[in-house]
Amino acid sequence: MDLTVVAYIAYLLISVALTIWVARTLSRNGRIFLADVLHGNEKLADAVNHLLVVGFYLVNFGFVALYLRQDQTVADARELFEALSVKLGVVLLVLGVMHLGNVYVLNRIRRRGAMEREQVPPVAPQGWTAPKSGPWAPPAPQA
């Protein structure tokens, strides 16, 4: 078997395994973060989490497939490891950048929600009371 084909097979196996591992880890640990971002709405957090995982899989598997092509033939074990290290390094960088992008966007949403919660008073105003004395007090009613 040609070593280029071995490089393809190893690249695919490792890339797919890494993508699945990262997606499961992010899904499991990101659910709590999403529930906080979405104000405790568990059903919505689960739905958004699932959609993010599906999008993560699609983008990463698409990138892995597009990046599969090897321009040079692999002649020996050294070239096999060099080709794999470059390809897997790029895949890992893409996974990391996507993760950081997701966390950045979700953190922005979370901050916006926290700012909106701070602007709403805890109790609705029920009226006002005039001060009893001082230069700002209204004139006393005349009888």
Side-chain angles (χ1 to χ4, degrees):
M1 182 182 292
D2 185 17
L3 282 180
T4 305
V5 175
V6 173
Y8 288 155
I9 292 170
Y11 166 72
L12 284 174
L13 290 175
I14 296 169
S15 295
V16 167
L18 281 171
T19 300
I20 291 171
W21 175 71
V22 169
R24 285 185 178 174
T25 302
L26 294 176
S27 173
R28 183 175 50 250
N29 297 320
R31 186 184 176 288
I32 298 166
F33 183 76
L34 282 172
D36 180 49
V37 168
L38 300 171
H39 312 297
N41 188 340
E42 298 288 330
K43 286 181 121 179
L44 184 59
D46 288 339
V48 170
N49 195 19
H50 184 74
L51 292 173
L52 285 171
V53 168
V54 169
F56 186 82
Y57 278 137
L58 290 173
V59 170
N60 282 296
F61 287 150
F63 177 77
V64 165
L66 286 173
Y67 201 60
L68 177 65
R69 183 172 181 198
Q70 178 73 24
D71 291 333
Q72 302 170 1
T73 59
V74 178
D76 57 7
R78 181 177 146 236
E79 288 180 6
L80 174 71
F81 282 107
E82 288 174 356
L84 278 176
S85 69
V86 169
K87 287 191 172 296
L88 292 174
V90 171
V91 168
L92 289 171
L93 287 173
V94 169
L95 286 170
V97 167
M98 283 190 57
H99 170 63
L100 291 175
N102 280 340
V103 169
Y104 176 77
V105 169
L106 290 173
N107 194 36
R108 295 284 303 224
I109 293 169
R110 186 172 146 259
R111 270 196 206 156
R112 188 178 326 143
M115 288 176 56
E116 288 173 2
R117 283 191 299 260
E118 288 177 5
Q119 292 178 358
V120 176
V123 178
Q126 299 173 358
W128 63 280
T129 304
K132 298 283 182 191
S133 63
W136 55 86
Q142 297 185 1

